Amino acid sequence: MDGRPANDQTSPWMTFENRRRARDEKREAVLRTAVQLFLEQGYHRATLNEVAERLNITKPALYNYFRSKEDILFECWALGQEQVDGFIAAIDGSRQNGLGKLRALVHSYAETMATDFGASLVRFDPRDLSPANARTVRAAKRGIDQSFRRYITEGIADGSIKPCDPKMAAFAIAGSLNWIGHWYQRGGELTPDAIADDFAERLTEGLAAATSKRPAGRTSATKTKKSTAKAPTSRKKK
Amino acid sequence: MDGRPANDQTSPWMTFENRRRARDEKREAVLRTAVQLFLEQGYHRATLNEVAERLNITKPALYNYFRSKEDILFECWALGQEQVDGFIAAIDGSRQNGLGKLRALVHSYAETMATDFGASLVRFDPRDLSPANARTVRAAKRGIDQSFRRYITEGIADGSIKPCDPKMAAFAIAGSLNWIGHWYQRGGELTPDAIADDFAERLTEGLAAATSKRPAGRTSATKTKKSTAKAPTSRKKK
DNA sequence: GACTTATATTACTCACGGGTAAGAAAAAGT
DNA sequence: ACTTTTTCTTACCCGTGAGTAATATAAGTC
């Protein structure tokens, strides 16, 4: 795990690393607790006192790791955004047609919406952020929107998607996906995987060019790896 | 309008009516101002002081018309909900197949999302409401969801919609529509009408049964009659 | 004109929660 | 064992904004 050979147990560096890691773990624990509470009660109703309480510490202790409540909010958002940036980069670098990329994006985005940090992307209000952070968020949102439009435009160009208005199509698709963050809740009868599979198909079938509309054929390898997962309502629940 | 013959000009009743109307107009003015401010800044950042200021009065004056800030929030929501209840009742009473009803619902709902009170349906947080009011809101939301599912189920039964999972289809469609309330802004390049037309087609084309998929034909009178009849809010708009 | 009611204002209370100061407790370093 | 640094607690400050009390003003009524 640690790249460095641990031959020197008394090395201050080893300890330094450990301490930094311990600190980061605590920071993360704060964020996990905070994002849960913010989603549960809403940012304004959630108090730092309660965040601290759930971590068995007191409010001022939080200020060792974060500058302000707003800082915590922003970091929560940033963790979610990192996920999105990650899979958009992966899809950008993949070798498939526009429709395939769009499907992959829808699938990954849907899954992300079913996570706490993912939901924070759409359930947190940028107006609660400082102007500087709000700018960052706006830029990121624009980036996501542009990815949707880019894949659609690409798909139209390569013939996998039938001609349409990329802007409206992107709005419609992103709307469906973003809304997942509002209704999804763990433990319900719909699993993130089932939702992602369903939406990936549902939100793109209307755009697929007629030529690529084979009976049951999937256009890319995107789906193949989750062949097992298709059970839409595999509920253990009770 | 007034059932009573106004033969007696000094009648206290006439004056009473006028006063009640004046009062209602003021109430409405408060709500219009409040909903705007709540949407602009978010419920928690918006202060009653500023609502009052915009109306050229002072905060305590508001308490002549409303019991609390939460009361104002709820009334804003209720006005939006009234619109929705209105056109759902109209569609329910209309004589068309499931697909036609679904299209009509999508169209009307999209238009409503582009209004202040309509947007408040999805941008206000029910957790800001008293338990009693929150229950009302939840019930209404359930009602809307059920209308979507009902029309889809109806459509499957009458053959206008191809077999699918009504629950997921409703989620996907409602998500797209609700999201309008988050991105639409007056003065943009997209008019409410254009959005509604586009979404009514876009969100239902994937569900249409193959048999009813004619080149450019509309399945019913949904579109034709709505030019006139469908105006519950009959805005004269230029 | 008196008197009643509705409507508005000024001046205030008060709970709440983010944030800070000072210092204790624990850990790390020497 | 000592200092130093990091982490956390107790005790507090203080801005904010919803809501209220007391009162003035305007309108409607007799």
Side-chain angles (χ1 to χ4, degrees):
Chain A
M1 195 184 262
D2 189 345
R4 187 183 353 271
N7 54 359
D8 189 1
Q9 288 181 340
T10 64
S11 161
W13 286 104
M14 189 58 189
T15 311
F16 178 77
E17 279 298 326
N18 278 342
R19 270 174 56 196
R20 203 177 55 74
R21 177 162 31 223
R23 195 183 160 80
D24 283 356
E25 270 166 24
K26 287 184 189 169
R27 253 184 81 98
E28 238 188 82
V30 171
L31 293 179
R32 273 198 311 273
T33 305
V35 75
Q36 257 183 283
L37 203 70
F38 291 169
L39 290 174
E40 240 171 64
Q41 315 192 342
Y43 178 68
H44 288 97
R45 277 171 299 278
T47 70
L48 291 187
N49 266 322
E50 196 170 347
V51 172
E53 204 177 336
R54 288 198 184 184
L55 291 161
N56 297 315
I57 55 175
T58 58
K59 177 178 60 173
L62 297 173
Y63 286 82
N64 277 312
Y65 306 99
F66 300 93
R67 269 190 301 280
S68 64
K69 191 186 185 188
E70 185 256 359
D71 190 20
I72 295 178
L73 184 71
F74 178 71
E75 294 292 337
C76 288
W77 171 88
L79 283 185
Q81 184 62 34
E82 259 177 38
Q83 283 188 36
V84 174
D85 287 339
F87 61 65
I88 285 184
I91 296 169
D92 272 334
S94 75
R95 198 183 311 278
Q96 43 184 336
N97 60 23
L99 182 60
K101 287 183 181 174
L102 183 61
R103 282 219 180 99
L105 177 56
V106 170
H107 197 278
S108 297
Y109 198 87
E111 280 179 333
T112 295
M113 279 302 115
T115 68
D116 282 347
F117 290 113
S120 77
L121 294 178
V122 296
R123 302 215 358 222
F124 290 174
D125 190 337
R127 290 171 299 190
D128 288 321
L129 297 171
S130 69
N133 285 339
R135 259 199 311 278
T136 304
V137 170
R138 273 196 302 273
K141 282 186 191 302
R142 215 176 15 252
I144 295 175
D145 181 47
Q146 281 169 347
S147 295
F148 276 103
R149 297 192 199 184
R150 189 170 59 249
Y151 298 155
I152 293 169
T153 306
E154 245 180 84
I156 295 173
D158 67 31
S160 58
I161 293 178
K162 68 183 178 191
C164 66
D165 178 7
K167 180 178 177 174
M168 288 297 261
F171 274 163
I173 293 173
S176 276
L177 290 170
N178 286 334
W179 206 246
I180 295 173
H182 284 85
W183 57 260
Y184 173 76
Q185 43 190 356
R186 277 202 284 256
E189 35 187 313
L190 292 170
T191 68
D193 225 66
I195 295 167
D197 284 350
D198 184 285
F199 272 50
E201 182 59 25
R202 184 184 301 277
L203 300 182
T204 58
E205 66 182 349
L207 296 179
T211 61
S212 73
K213 225 183 174 182
R214 298 189 196 126
R218 257 62 180 267
T219 51
S220 73
T222 308
K223 288 303 186 50
T224 58
K225 81 169 158 196
K226 54 184 48 283
S227 52
T228 62
K230 192 51 201 265
T233 50
S234 74
R235 38 187 303 187
K236 23 205 73 155
K237 184 189 181 183
K238 233 194 238 185
Chain B
M1 193 181 257
D2 189 346
R4 188 180 353 271
N7 54 1
D8 188 2
Q9 287 182 341
T10 64
S11 161
W13 284 104
M14 188 57 190
T15 312
F16 177 78
E17 279 298 325
N18 278 342
R19 271 175 53 197
R20 203 176 57 74
R21 178 163 29 225
R23 193 182 162 80
D24 282 356
E25 270 166 25
K26 288 184 189 170
R27 253 184 81 97
E28 237 187 84
V30 172
L31 292 179
R32 273 197 312 271
T33 304
V35 75
Q36 257 183 284
L37 204 70
F38 290 169
L39 290 174
E40 242 172 61
Q41 314 193 343
Y43 178 66
H44 288 98
R45 277 171 299 278
T47 71
L48 291 188
N49 265 322
E50 196 170 347
V51 172
E53 204 176 337
R54 289 198 184 182
L55 292 160
N56 298 317
I57 55 175
T58 57
K59 178 177 61 173
L62 297 174
Y63 286 82
N64 277 314
Y65 305 100
F66 300 93
R67 270 190 300 281
S68 64
K69 190 186 184 187
E70 185 256 359
D71 190 19
I72 295 177
L73 184 71
F74 178 72
E75 294 293 336
C76 288
W77 171 87
L79 283 185
Q81 184 61 34
E82 258 177 40
Q83 283 188 36
V84 175
D85 287 340
F87 61 64
I88 285 185
I91 297 170
D92 272 333
S94 75
R95 199 182 312 278
Q96 42 185 336
N97 61 22
L99 182 61
K101 287 183 181 173
L102 182 61
R103 282 217 182 99
L105 176 56
V106 170
H107 198 278
S108 296
Y109 198 86
E111 281 180 332
T112 295
M113 280 301 115
T115 67
D116 282 347
F117 290 114
S120 77
L121 295 178
V122 295
R123 296 200 23 206
F124 289 174
D125 190 337
R127 290 171 299 191
D128 288 321
L129 297 171
S130 71
N133 285 340
R135 258 199 311 279
T136 304
V137 170
R138 273 197 303 274
K141 283 187 191 302
R142 213 174 20 250
I144 295 175
D145 181 48
Q146 282 169 347
S147 294
F148 276 103
R149 297 192 198 184
R150 188 169 59 250
Y151 297 156
I152 294 169
T153 306
E154 246 180 84
I156 296 174
D158 67 30
S160 57
I161 293 179
K162 68 183 177 192
C164 66
D165 179 8
K167 180 178 177 176
M168 287 298 260
F171 274 162
I173 293 173
S176 276
L177 291 170
N178 287 333
W179 206 246
I180 295 173
H182 283 86
W183 57 260
Y184 173 76
Q185 44 191 358
R186 277 202 283 253
E189 36 186 313
L190 292 169
T191 67
D193 225 63
I195 295 168
D197 285 348
D198 184 286
F199 272 50
E201 182 58 25
R202 183 184 303 277
L203 300 183
T204 58
E205 66 181 351
L207 296 179
T211 61
S212 73
K213 226 183 175 183
R214 300 191 193 126
R218 258 60 181 268
T219 50
S220 71
T222 308
K223 288 299 185 51
T224 58
K225 86 165 167 191
K226 77 152 267 309
S227 51
T228 61
K230 140 82 204 30
T233 49
S234 80
R235 341 186 3 174
K236 14 210 84 149
K237 181 191 180 183
K238 103 143 88 138

